[in-house]
Amino acid sequence: MAVTTHAAPPTAAKPRSGSFRPIALELWHDKAGMIGFTVIVLLILMAVFAPLIAPYDPAIQSVAARLKPPAWLPKGSWEHVLGTDQLGRDVLSRVIYGARASLLVGTSVVLLAGTFGVLFGLFAGFKGGRIDDLMMRLVDIQVAFPGLLMILLIISAVGPSLSTMIVVLAVTNWMIYARVVRGIVLSVRQTPYVEAAEMIGCKPGRVLFKHILPNLTSPLLTLGILEFTNIVLAEAAMSFLGLGVQPPATSWGLDVSNGKDYIFVAWWLITFPGLSISITVLSINLFANWLRVTTDPQEREKRFARLKAVERRRNGAPAGAPAKA
Amino acid sequence: MSAVLASAPETAQPLLSVRSLSVRYQAGRNGFWARPRMINALQDISFDLYPGETLGLVGESGSGKTTTGRAVLRRIDTSDGRIVFNGRDITNVKGEELRKLRRNMQLVFQDPYASLNPRMRVLDIVAEPLIVHGLVRNVDEARDQVGELMRLVNLPRDAHDRFPHAFSGGQRQRIGIARALALKPEFIVADEPVSALDVSVRAQVVNLLQDLQKELGLSYLFIAHDLSVVRHISHRVAILYSGRMVEIASRDSLYERPMHPYTEALLSAVPVPDPKTQRARKRIVYKGEVPDVANPPVGCHFHTRCPIATERCSLQVPILTKKAPDHWVACWNR
Amino acid sequence: MTEMDMMSEAALLEIDRLCVEFDTRGGVVHGLRGVDLSVRRGETLAIVGESGSGKSVTAQAVMGLIDVPGRIASGDIRWKGQSMLSREGLAMAQDIRGKDVALIFQDPMTSLNPLMTIGAQIGEVLRRHLGLSKIQARTRTEELLGAVGISAPRRRVDQYPHELSGGMRQRVMIAMAIACEPQLLIADEPTTALDVTIQAQVLELLAGLQETLRLSVILITHDLGVVAGLCHRVAVMYAGKIIETGLADDVFERPSHPYTQGLIRSTPRLDDQMERLIAIEGSPPSLLAPPTGCAFSPRCPLSEPKCAEQPPLVAVHAGASAACWHPATPAWREAPALAEAVS
């Protein structure tokens, strides 16, 4: 459908940049996106300032205070707000420190896998032909190869550690970037302005980085954030299996694993780290959804118009039905 | 075909000379190891373009008009034939040499909305050719030259720092023309430069192209599907049908005495914006459609729709022959 | 005004001061700014305008296709005198659309289902609106395909849209549109995507159908040439308003509004020898903040202070009205001769 935003005369043109305020306002109007964004900010703050926030060192054990329930339950005390685990470690402190592992692994893996996948996809899409065919078959082969098996193989050869986990997750998660990027490069290559750039004599590097790459920022941003949630879950799963974060370091996955034997005795051991994982993943998804709509001009216009329609209905004039002329 | 195609200034050297140009496309492969299917997009095209001249290239979709433009500019590889530009054979020019060649031949695009990078300012867009050819070091150095180009295409100077979306279709097309002119080329391929524009601004752009030709002595290959615009801008006109040239003649000769039955049909199909004339006109509406390029008929490609086709037409490809001064036709029966 | 009343009596479709607005982040875009139109039985009306003039929005409003971000802000659309926008009219409007009023789009590929054979698609329309049986629907489909000039309809029925050429698909769209024997056919740029020779075929087909089925047709186009051969009446739109309307012959011969004059004169023609085209300088106004007065005045050679006020659409001479303070004044200089243009 043609939205008739007809070409404005040059005098009415607005600068594109410096539009932070309207974007912030848009986020404010989207409740789900706002909640997601707030939680993400809080999580990051929590991870960064963990030593200041956490009441205890997460590794300190206390045999005297084993399996204390959360404060609001009988026998609970405000010394340990979320209770303690089987070794007397403070659950709240462990949850706070656990955010570090999740965010660190998530960010590093997304950056590592993203960089490699993007370069791979850029190259394949730009070269085209046989090289592209060959490179994408490589991607297909790795996608077809069971990721978990690969992880097990590598870990059993190298031994589990945080850095190994990051590398292993990057190795098994770069393919989606390559595929997405290649697809976009192939379609953007066909656009007249890329042809125009080649026509005036731009060298391939300039065409690729000045004309093609900027088109990738918004889809990659959304993809990266969604992939981040996958990695957070993968990190939890690997730590749960004992292939990831190793004690005395903490991780939500590790804590869920530790707590699983006490599930009937002390439910809080797996509940709070598990809840943290869910909340993180959910809020990132909420935010990513808002971001996806915001970076798609058409969807963004529609969201704006729907909001307007709701406002109009609230102000009394029934939207859709015409006012009597 | 060795015949030299005549044109108005007989003595002058042609700027561009195309001989027996053919282009074959790969039409996808059925599998990784399979041999690609080939499609003949263009067969045996020959023409000359003289300095300061406009050759109109008219055809319907699938006629190969866009392919001709891109092949001449060496955007796509030719399978056969020769392209001589300024006395130099450029048929197989590649890499850095091809990049240098871009300074002399440029393209104006059909779609003014899609052919400008939405993320670049007008200044960056128009200055880019100067920068990539090392004529200026950075955008700021190009400011004066870009200002001069803006004046040339009648855009306000303050357009510099705005983004393409702030401009209307006609203005964007001017930006595209300014970019093409930045390197001071002698030859411009205009690929349907007005067909995406609104009716009321088409005339602006057509007039601008004519003014620029007079001022800068440009040569145009003006591609169009519409015979009425071509009449206003071209000195000579060539008609393509299904990858072959069926007629090439000086403008007046072609419009007043069209010889190929396809040209006749094309001329009569263009509606005239005047009800009385329109009602009085004899309309030739041919049955059928343009043949599939992947699977064209044998012989003359037009014989399946042609009212004067004979048996010979379905067997032998007609050759472009001189039927009148500066008028060449590929038809067995005319 | 008695003439107007008589017209509205026989009118099939009436559009009354219709305003359509689009909520965009940049502000409210006024797509239609009070459009009055009527179509009588058996008449072909052309709506001519550039992109953004509101010609397609008008068609969408009639078909009930205005959706977020657009909305009908005020005005009315009446079918045989009954409002299609009032609460009571909505149900009737649903019934009318697709049955009595049919729409043909510019690009047939977007409105045909690529996964269904064309026979199945036309058959579905017949069975839903007319309650035909499967066998009846198939026979009727073959008849319809024959009627729109598709050769070997018996074979074509079982083909998919991608197996047909652009011209064929547009014929299929027309067949589908006339399947329920509509009284009004709205064709939104039906030939813009087609080649010239195919365009001629499709226009001929539309003219033939209009004659044989006694259809009313609204032809929406930007191409004056298409209008000339086919239409009885013309309405010229500019920036969301109708600025001139009248009988086609009158409008072409004696255009009253400077924009219409310019449009006709700036269209390159096959049958004249002008070396230089007359160009309307500038570009259409932004509909985000449409001018309060005549929207064309910034580009108009006759512009004067009075044009800051919106001129009403009034009768200029028999059969034509224009919204201009200086109707029927020649606005554009004759094309300069070649010698003058060169110097």
Side-chain angles (χ1 to χ4, degrees):
Chain A
M1 216 192 76
V3 180
T4 34
T5 37
H6 200 257
T11 43
K14 276 183 236 138
R16 280 164 60 92
S17 50
S19 47
F20 173 73
R21 262 187 64 89
I23 287 192
L25 211 69
E26 246 177 279
L27 181 58
W28 178 249
H29 281 298
D30 187 288
K31 290 293 167 258
M34 190 63 207
I35 291 170
F37 180 72
T38 316
V39 173
I40 292 170
V41 170
L42 288 178
L43 271 171
I44 293 172
L45 290 177
M46 192 167 98
V48 171
F49 298 108
L52 299 177
I53 305 168
Y56 299 91
D57 184 320
I60 282 187
Q61 307 180 2
S62 153
V63 190
R66 284 178 67 229
L67 293 174
K68 283 253 195 282
W72 59 89
L73 290 183
K75 287 198 269 175
S77 86
W78 287 100
E79 269 170 53
H80 299 283
V81 178
L82 296 183
T84 59
D85 69 2
Q86 72 279 15
L87 299 174
R89 296 175 296 192
D90 183 49
V91 171
L92 175 62
S93 304
R94 289 188 72 77
V95 164
I96 292 172
Y97 272 90
R100 289 187 142 187
S102 292
L103 297 189
L104 178 71
V105 173
T107 319
S108 330
V109 171
V110 166
L111 287 180
L112 211 61
T115 312
F116 181 70
V118 167
L119 290 177
F120 194 93
L122 272 179
F123 191 75
F126 195 69
K127 278 284 172 193
R130 289 249 154 165
I131 292 177
D132 173 40
D133 275 352
L134 212 66
M135 288 176 81
M136 292 329 280
R137 288 308 84 75
L138 267 174
V139 170
D140 291 348
I141 290 168
Q142 178 153 9
V143 169
F145 195 87
L148 198 61
L149 189 62
M150 176 104 105
I151 291 170
L152 284 171
L153 282 173
I154 299 175
I155 301 268
S156 57
V158 185
S161 80
L162 188 70
S163 48
T164 315
M165 174 163 63
I166 290 172
V167 173
V168 162
L169 283 175
V171 164
T172 48
N173 284 288
W174 61 276
M175 296 85 76
I176 179 133
Y177 301 96
R179 279 185 170 170
V180 168
V181 167
R182 171 189 173 262
I184 297 170
V185 170
L186 281 185
S187 71
V188 173
R189 269 215 92 167
Q190 302 297 319
T191 60
Y193 72 79
V194 171
E195 193 188 2
E198 287 176 344
M199 239 1 266
I200 57 168
C202 289
K203 290 178 182 160
R206 190 181 169 96
V207 174
L208 199 54
F209 288 100
K210 185 134 182 144
H211 296 277
I212 294 180
L213 201 60
N215 288 293
L216 293 167
T217 42
S218 61
L220 277 183
L221 200 63
T222 315
L223 177 66
I225 290 178
L226 286 175
E227 270 296 292
F228 187 92
T229 62
N230 279 345
I231 303 299
V232 167
L233 289 174
E235 183 275 329
M238 280 179 70
S239 297
F240 180 85
L241 294 174
L243 304 171
V245 174
Q246 300 299 312
T250 59
S251 143
W252 294 334
L254 189 64
D255 280 359
V256 172
S257 168
N258 288 337
K260 70 178 187 295
D261 298 333
Y262 299 87
I263 190 163
F264 296 110
V265 193
W267 54 266
W268 55 92
L269 289 192
I270 71 161
T271 303
F272 294 111
L275 212 57
S276 305
I277 296 172
S278 312
I279 289 174
T280 307
V281 170
L282 179 69
S283 46
I284 292 176
N285 271 302
L286 288 177
F287 180 68
N289 190 43
W290 174 83
L291 196 69
R292 181 186 59 76
V293 173
T294 309
T295 51
D296 180 336
Q298 244 177 343
E299 288 291 315
R300 197 175 176 187
E301 285 293 350
K302 273 192 195 162
R303 184 175 67 191
F304 175 83
R306 268 188 220 111
L307 193 75
K308 274 272 159 200
V310 171
E311 265 175 36
R312 199 165 282 113
R313 215 172 297 140
R314 212 173 282 158
N315 291 344
K324 282 286 156 239
Chain B
M1 183 168 47
S2 57
V4 176
L5 298 168
S7 158
E10 294 279 355
T11 46
Q13 267 285 322
L15 177 71
L16 175 78
S17 188
V18 176
R19 289 291 171 275
S20 311
L21 177 70
S22 297
V23 172
R24 274 191 291 278
Y25 273 122
Q26 276 193 12
R29 267 173 287 175
N30 295 327
F32 189 67
W33 306 110
R35 269 170 61 92
R37 249 175 354 113
M38 300 307 274
I39 284 178
N40 290 314
L42 218 52
Q43 290 172 45
D44 203 15
I45 302 285
S46 301
F47 62 87
D48 283 337
L49 181 71
Y50 288 86
E53 188 191 37
T54 303
L55 174 67
L57 197 59
V58 182
E60 299 181 88
S61 52
S63 64
K65 56 184 191 301
T66 302
T67 309
T68 310
R70 298 293 197 276
V72 164
L73 289 170
R74 298 284 299 104
R75 268 289 293 170
I76 36 183
D77 288 331
T78 56
S79 332
D80 261 314
R82 235 155 31 92
I83 305 166
V84 178
F85 181 74
N86 255 343
R88 174 170 166 229
D89 191 329
I90 59 161
T91 321
N92 295 308
V93 166
K94 278 199 177 64
E96 191 55 26
E97 251 185 295
L98 178 61
R99 215 173 70 80
K100 291 227 175 74
L101 192 66
R102 298 274 175 250
R103 291 177 61 168
N104 297 318
M105 37 177 35
Q106 275 300 324
L107 178 63
V108 171
F109 287 83
Q110 172 175 8
D111 185 344
Y113 294 89
S115 59
L116 304 177
N117 189 336
R119 290 178 181 79
M120 283 166 79
R121 289 176 304 162
V122 171
L123 178 65
D124 298 319
I125 291 172
V126 180
E128 189 167 33
L130 299 168
I131 292 170
V132 298
H133 284 279
L135 301 177
V136 294
R137 261 175 300 161
N138 54 43
V139 171
D140 286 319
E141 247 176 62
R143 225 165 240 278
D144 284 345
Q145 284 190 58
V146 172
E148 178 58 22
L149 287 162
M150 299 300 234
R151 188 198 60 77
L152 213 54
V153 299
N154 297 329
L155 276 175
R157 250 199 97 104
D158 62 328
H160 271 174
D161 296 318
R162 292 205 216 101
F163 288 87
H165 71 98
F167 295 89
S168 68
Q171 287 171 320
R172 286 178 193 221
Q173 198 57 295
R174 287 167 196 268
I175 297 170
I177 293 171
R179 170 176 62 190
L181 291 175
L183 296 166
K184 304 195 171 66
E186 301 155 83
F187 169 51
I188 285 182
V189 173
D191 188 1
E192 307 214 30
V194 298
S195 55
L197 300 179
D198 276 327
V199 189
S200 80
V201 293
R202 277 185 193 173
Q204 291 173 14
V205 174
V206 169
N207 288 348
L208 173 67
L209 286 172
Q210 280 182 313
D211 293 343
L212 290 170
Q213 183 167 50
K214 278 182 204 118
E215 208 171 324
L216 308 171
L218 297 167
S219 305
Y220 293 131
L221 184 64
F222 191 95
I223 299 169
H225 66 266
D226 176 355
L227 275 164
S228 47
V229 177
V230 166
R231 174 168 199 161
H232 282 271
I233 198 164
S234 308
H235 301 104
R236 284 187 303 140
V237 179
I239 311 282
L240 295 187
Y241 184 78
S242 185
R244 292 205 187 116
M245 194 177 278
V246 297
E247 188 161 4
I248 178 168
S250 68
R251 174 186 59 181
D252 293 343
S253 186
L254 186 113
Y255 280 83
E256 272 149 39
R257 292 175 300 281
M259 289 196 193
H260 198 281
Y262 175 65
T263 312
E264 287 176 355
L266 209 54
L267 277 170
S268 94
V270 179
V272 171
D274 181 347
K276 292 199 176 116
T277 321
Q278 184 70 6
R279 277 194 289 266
R281 283 172 85 209
K282 184 170 68 89
R283 301 246 286 186
I284 312 170
V285 178
Y286 284 165
K287 291 272 170 295
E289 311 224 347
V290 181
D292 180 7
V293 273
N295 193 15
V298 188
C300 175
H301 283 180
F302 190 59
H303 83 262
T304 48
R305 302 170 75 191
C306 183
I308 58 166
T310 54
E311 203 188 335
R312 188 181 189 186
C313 302
S314 55
L315 300 170
Q316 256 179 308
V317 179
I319 298 160
L320 205 57
T321 42
K322 191 170 183 173
K323 295 285 165 81
D326 204 10
H327 200 138
W328 301 66
V329 183
C331 180
W332 292 122
N333 302 319
R334 285 287 163 98
Chain C
M1 279 294 130
T2 47
E3 192 195 15
M4 281 291 260
D5 292 339
M6 274 169 59
M7 273 167 69
S8 62
E9 256 184 302
L12 199 59
L13 178 81
E14 281 171 289
I15 297 173
D16 184 14
R17 278 172 290 180
L18 188 69
C19 289
V20 173
E21 290 171 4
F22 295 87
D23 291 311
T24 70
R25 291 188 308 118
V28 177
V29 170
H30 299 260
L32 290 187
R33 305 187 294 140
V35 166
D36 290 301
L37 262 186
S38 68
V39 187
R40 279 170 289 173
R41 232 175 257 281
E43 168 183 67
T44 304
L45 169 75
I47 303 181
V48 181
E50 304 178 64
S51 56
S53 64
K55 55 189 195 307
S56 294
V57 179
T58 310
Q60 286 163 3
V62 174
M63 294 307 291
L65 297 176
I66 300 283
D67 196 7
V68 179
R71 68 196 147 75
I72 292 173
S74 64
D76 202 0
I77 303 173
R78 284 189 289 273
W79 176 254
K80 293 178 180 168
Q82 259 207 307
S83 169
M84 289 169 87
L85 298 179
S86 65
R87 234 171 268 282
E88 313 80 63
L90 279 176
M92 175 202 74
Q94 280 310 321
D95 233 33
I96 290 168
R97 288 173 186 141
K99 189 166 178 295
D100 291 331
V101 190
L103 180 65
I104 306 173
F105 290 99
Q106 173 176 344
D107 182 3
M109 204 54 200
T110 54
S111 33
L112 287 172
N113 183 342
L115 301 177
M116 281 168 79
T117 64
I118 57 173
Q121 295 187 52
I122 300 177
E124 191 185 305
V125 175
L126 289 168
R127 284 158 65 193
R128 192 174 53 201
H129 282 295
L130 303 178
L132 297 189
S133 74
K134 212 164 183 170
I135 299 154
Q136 282 173 318
R138 191 181 166 92
T139 330
R140 180 83 186 113
T141 304
E142 283 170 17
E143 280 171 27
L144 284 165
L145 290 180
V148 296
I150 287 178
S151 53
R154 206 162 281 248
R155 189 165 56 85
R156 298 282 184 191
V157 164
D158 297 317
Q159 286 189 324
Y160 289 89
H162 70 89
E163 295 176 82
L164 306 174
S165 66
M168 284 294 187
R169 279 184 217 135
Q170 198 55 288
R171 284 172 192 273
V172 171
M173 276 305 296
I174 294 173
M176 200 186 294
I178 61 169
C180 300
E181 290 163 11
Q183 298 171 46
L184 175 64
L185 184 67
I186 303 178
D188 188 355
E189 305 259 12
T191 59
T192 307
L194 303 177
D195 280 322
V196 198
T197 54
I198 311 300
Q199 169 178 325
Q201 294 173 357
V202 171
L203 288 178
E204 198 139 284
L205 168 67
L206 276 177
L209 288 175
Q210 199 262 332
E211 195 78 13
T212 49
L213 303 177
R214 292 292 296 155
L215 272 175
S216 301
V217 177
I218 297 180
L219 180 73
I220 292 168
T221 180
H222 67 274
D223 187 345
L224 286 168
V226 169
V227 178
L230 204 65
C231 299
H232 305 127
R233 272 201 312 135
V234 181
V236 183
M237 291 191 73
Y238 188 80
K241 272 183 182 299
I242 290 176
I243 52 114
E244 178 159 3
T245 168
L247 297 173
D249 286 19
D250 283 314
V251 170
F252 278 101
E253 201 166 314
R254 291 184 292 171
S256 300
H257 197 285
Y259 174 67
T260 320
Q261 294 174 21
L263 207 56
I264 291 174
R265 301 286 298 283
S266 68
T267 309
R269 291 171 61 157
L270 267 186
D271 61 337
D272 71 18
Q273 301 282 1
M274 274 196 302
E275 278 298 328
R276 202 176 164 77
L277 297 169
I278 288 181
I280 308 176
E281 293 304 331
S283 34
S286 157
L287 294 173
L288 264 177
T292 46
C294 171
F296 187 62
S297 66
R299 305 172 74 187
C300 181
L302 299 180
S303 173
E304 55 145 357
K306 195 170 188 197
C307 298
E309 209 179 304
Q310 174 63 47
L313 190 67
V314 291
V316 179
H317 46 78
S321 19
C324 180
W325 295 116
H326 303 284
T329 318
W332 306 89
R333 221 154 46 89
E334 275 305 310
L338 175 61
E340 197 186 328
V342 170
S343 64

